[in-house]
Structure formats: C-alpha cells, structure tokens
Amino acid sequence: MDRFAIQHIETNWLVVREHIRMNEFPHKIEQCVWELTSRCNMRCLHCGTRGGQARREELTGFECISIAEQLIEQGCQQVTLIGGEVLLYEGWEKIARLLSDEGVSVNVVTNGFLSGRRQIAQLHFSRPASVDVCIDGMQASHNRLRRVPGSFTRAVNLLGLLVHEGFSVGVITSLLKFNVDDLPNMYDMLVGEGAKTWQIRLAPPLGELAVSPDLLLRPERVSEITRFIAQKRAAGRIQICAGDDIGYFDRHESLLRCHPLPSTSWRGCQAGLRSVAIDSAGNIRGCHSLADDRFIEGNLRTQTLGEIWRRPKAFAYNRRFHKRLLEGQCSGCDKGDLCRAGCRSICFFTTGKLYDNPYCCYRPTTGVQLVARKRRAKPQPGQARRQITKPASARPHA
C-alpha cells in the first residue's frame, strides 16, 4: 500500500474519530444566535451591545464562512442572524445561503428600517426559513424605544412588503413599562398585516436600561402577559408565543412556548446545553442575552467551535446546575429541577444572581428591587474581549 493510500486512511480515521467523539458528547449544538455586526442604524434603549459603529475586530466574511461550515459540521439545526442591524453586514446573504443550502433553518432578524430593492433581493437569495421584524409597540412606544423617528412606519411597511414577497414573516416585541398596554392593538395590526408568528419577550435590562431600571416592566404584570398570549394562541389567528424570559409554570404554561406541538412547557435555560451564541468579534457565549464578558467561553479566532463547546468546564452555570444552587424566591421551589430558575440572563441582570428569578409567575413576588447594573467599559478599538472568571455562584458546589 503506497503512502498516499495510508495517508487517506489516516485522514478518514481522524474524521470518523471526531464524529464518534461528537456523538458521545452529551450536549449538542442545535440552535445558534449569531451577531454578524454591532453596526446599527438605531440606538435602542435595550441594546446590550449599544449598537452603532462596527467593531474594528469584527469577523471578516472569510472568517464567517469558516464559522458557518463549523456550525454545519457540528450539526446545528437553526441559526438566527442578528445585529446590530444584520442587513448592514456586507455579504450576510452569502453566509445565510451557505447555511440554508446545507439544510440549516436560517432566521433573519431585522429592525425593519432598510427595505429597498437591494435588501429584498438579498433576502430572496439567502432563502431564510423566516424573517422577523422587531416592532415594539404602536407608533409612539416603538419610536421611543428605538429612538429613531419614523422607525415604526418603516418597520410596518417592511412587514407588509415581506408578506407580499412571499416570505414567512414574524414579529418580535420587547416589552417595557410604557409599551405593554399596546399589546391588544398590536395583535389586531399584526393579524391584519399577515404576520405568521409573534414572539413577545421582556426587554432585557441591558444598554441604557441597565442604569434605568425604572423603565423595566414590573414582575407583577407578567401574569397579564401570559394570560394574553394563551387567549390569543387559542384564537388561532397568529402563532403567538412567549420568549424564554416569560412565564414558568403558571396555569398558562402549556400554551406559551415557541414550539410546533400544540402544547409544551418550559424545560430550563438551554444556554450551553443546546444553544450557543456568537458575537461579531468571534466570542462564544451560551446565549446572546448573557451580554457580559464573564460569560465568554472562548474566541473562534483562537479555537474551533467544537473545541470551545466541548471544553470540560465550559458553560458551567448550566452544565453543572443543581437545584441546591437556587436562591432567593427560587430556593426550595418544587419546580426547581425543571425550571432551573428560568432565563439565566434575566436572573443575572435583574438580581445580580444566576439562580434567582423575580419574573417567575409560579411563585410571584411583589415589591422586588431590580438591580441597576454598572456599565462595563467598552473594549478599545482593535482590542479583543478578554475571557474572565465566571460569576462565583456559577461554580459548582463540592
């Protein structure tokens, strides 16, 4: 047997061995939220990256193609492309098309401000499973949250155009104290415009909201939202569901989740278990909403996605979860093994803890004090984000 044949056998064995190792690992990447750029044409109150200018160290198109191939290799089933404003990233549609051609379900999330022929052509080329437009209340509320005059009108116009063009179109709404009462009017509008899906979530306490918690929706009002979602879902006029930061085992739980089955229920935060997030500098987190450097697990410029994902101590806050870690109002809860304190981001950015959720509807708390988080200094241009120690409460007990 010549050396070329031997080399071919050795190469194939390495591929097979990697395949076996992937299949034996208990956690598989099923979903990815990928921020292609922090560049944006808005200055939203709740933006975790305080979008505006693109980072100087953002991934190149060539690097993104390599990462897309790694996601395919890892067996990722769904990729959601976001920004900033994702449509501002040059070549985003080629990345999306590569994924969709390989059978990955691609969702594109846009703020709806760009709606020219070029953007529509790019969307057609990318072949997305869905396009989600962010609409955060009726006109006054949306424009206040997005801080761009006319942004509501443009978002609604794009929604109608996308429906006309034959896309599967959804809407994502982030709730604050001043827009929650817009939900009934929004429902009528979205049904009339032909939106297929509608996800309602809490505006995360990030960006400007991190230092202005008085604008956040109070936990006492979440039960109104779960009731609204359940009622409208039963009506069957639009596929409405709650984000991962709403609910948790009140009487409407089986009708809240974004799932194809008629009913399902919350099964805990999946960051680092089934889902992964990539930011525009190549940093890996379990969830895009965990927008704090302490949750960075590695960087794709120095390691592969598979290496970061399978690192023994990675994503310890979820992979090494035990109900004894629950604290505050979550401590001792009989749903603790299932719920795992709900959304990890909401826990951390509202209480400063990982396993205490003030927004739970199962054991509601009134009068809770939401934490105003200190702003972190932005990395200097060209400076890579540094991986730092996990929050102390994420470390497993002995």
Side-chain angles (χ1 to χ4, degrees):
M1 185 179 294
D2 62 36
R3 64 186 180 88
F4 296 105
I6 293 173
Q7 185 179 22
H8 179 70
I9 291 171
E10 290 175 344
T11 301
N12 282 345
W13 168 241
L14 289 174
V15 172
V16 170
R17 188 171 65 181
E18 176 67 10
H19 178 73
I20 293 171
R21 190 160 69 97
M22 284 174 56
N23 286 335
E24 289 178 345
F25 193 72
H27 309 294
K28 293 180 172 59
I29 300 175
E30 297 179 16
Q31 302 171 338
C32 173
V33 174
W34 187 356
E35 176 204 70
L36 288 179
T37 182
S38 63
R39 184 184 175 196
C40 193
N41 44 19
M42 295 190 181
R43 302 293 184 272
C44 303
L45 287 171
H46 63 311
C47 181
T49 58
R50 294 186 176 88
Q53 297 299 314
R55 301 182 183 97
R56 290 187 183 180
E57 73 272 20
E58 285 192 339
L59 298 167
T60 65
F62 179 80
E63 289 174 313
C64 286
I65 292 296
S66 173
I67 292 168
E69 291 172 343
Q70 292 181 55
L71 285 167
I72 293 166
E73 178 186 350
Q74 293 296 319
C76 185
Q77 300 170 16
Q78 182 184 81
V79 174
T80 299
L81 299 178
I82 66 170
E85 171 50 47
V86 68
L87 302 187
L88 291 173
Y89 185 82
E90 191 66 35
W92 74 266
E93 74 280 7
K94 298 174 183 176
I95 300 163
R97 178 62 178 267
L98 171 61
L99 291 164
S100 59
D101 280 352
E102 292 296 326
V104 179
S105 177
V106 176
N107 303 322
V108 179
V109 179
T110 174
N111 61 32
F113 202 72
L114 300 174
S115 57
R117 292 181 179 178
R118 181 171 184 262
Q119 285 78 34
I120 298 301
Q122 288 174 326
L123 285 165
H124 277 299
F125 176 82
S126 67
R127 296 182 179 176
S130 67
V131 182
D132 291 333
V133 182
C134 297
I135 303 179
D136 301 307
M138 300 305 287
Q139 183 167 337
S141 298
H142 177 94
N143 290 346
R144 179 181 176 185
L145 189 149
R146 295 281 163 178
R147 298 200 286 188
V148 175
S151 58
F152 173 81
T153 299
R154 295 183 72 154
V156 174
N157 288 344
L158 178 60
L159 170 61
L161 178 58
L162 292 172
V163 171
H164 176 75
E165 290 286 330
F167 292 98
S168 176
V169 186
V171 170
I172 299 174
T173 298
S174 298
L175 294 181
L176 287 167
K177 183 185 296 184
F178 60 77
N179 68 352
V180 64
D181 292 323
D182 289 353
L183 289 179
N185 288 334
M186 283 197 70
Y187 173 79
D188 292 336
M189 178 187 72
L190 298 182
V191 170
E193 291 289 341
K196 183 178 180 180
T197 63
W198 185 18
Q199 184 190 86
I200 299 175
R201 55 179 296 225
L202 302 179
L206 304 173
E208 297 302 320
L209 298 179
V211 292
S212 301
D214 56 302
L215 293 177
L216 297 175
L217 187 71
R218 293 298 303 172
E220 301 91 277
R221 299 206 62 182
V222 177
S223 60
E224 300 173 33
I225 301 167
T226 65
R227 182 168 60 251
F228 174 84
I229 293 172
Q231 291 172 347
K232 299 306 181 185
R233 187 161 185 163
R237 301 180 69 191
I238 188 172
Q239 296 177 25
I240 183 172
C241 64
D244 289 349
D245 47 17
I246 289 176
Y248 319 126
F249 299 101
D250 70 357
R251 63 192 180 94
H252 304 299
E253 174 61 38
S254 64
L255 294 173
L256 297 183
R257 302 300 151 201
C258 302
H259 196 281
L261 295 177
S263 65
T264 185
S265 63
W266 175 252
R267 286 294 182 270
C269 173
Q270 296 300 303
L273 304 179
R274 296 170 54 243
S275 66
V276 71
I278 306 170
D279 74 17
S280 62
N283 293 312
I284 294 293
R285 295 177 177 85
C287 173
H288 179 70
S289 294
L290 292 171
D292 187 293
D293 286 356
R294 280 170 281 192
F295 294 99
I296 294 175
E297 302 289 347
N299 188 281
L300 292 171
R301 284 192 168 120
T302 58
Q303 294 175 286
T304 68
L305 179 59
E307 289 170 341
I308 297 171
W309 182 256
R310 290 188 290 276
R311 187 169 56 82
K313 295 183 180 180
F315 311 102
Y317 51 87
N318 275 346
R319 291 184 181 177
R320 300 189 180 191
F321 172 83
H322 192 280
K323 64 180 181 180
R324 65 172 174 259
L325 294 170
L326 297 172
E327 51 190 325
Q329 76 165 33
C330 293
S331 178
C333 179
D334 63 321
K335 300 291 186 183
D337 283 329
L338 286 175
C339 181
R340 300 158 68 98
C343 172
R344 200 65 65 235
S345 173
I346 286 293
C347 289
F348 184 71
F349 289 108
T350 57
T351 68
K353 304 172 184 177
L354 283 171
Y355 310 106
D356 181 12
N357 194 323
Y359 283 89
C360 175
C361 290
Y362 184 64
R363 300 174 72 178
T365 297
T366 59
V368 65
Q369 181 66 39
L370 302 180
V371 175
R373 308 293 298 169
K374 293 182 179 179
R375 294 192 185 198
R376 282 187 170 272
K378 289 184 178 180
Q380 295 300 311
Q383 176 186 352
R385 291 186 174 185
R386 181 173 58 92
Q387 184 177 359
I388 59 179
T389 307
K390 296 287 182 298
S393 56
R395 298 172 191 158
H397 294 178

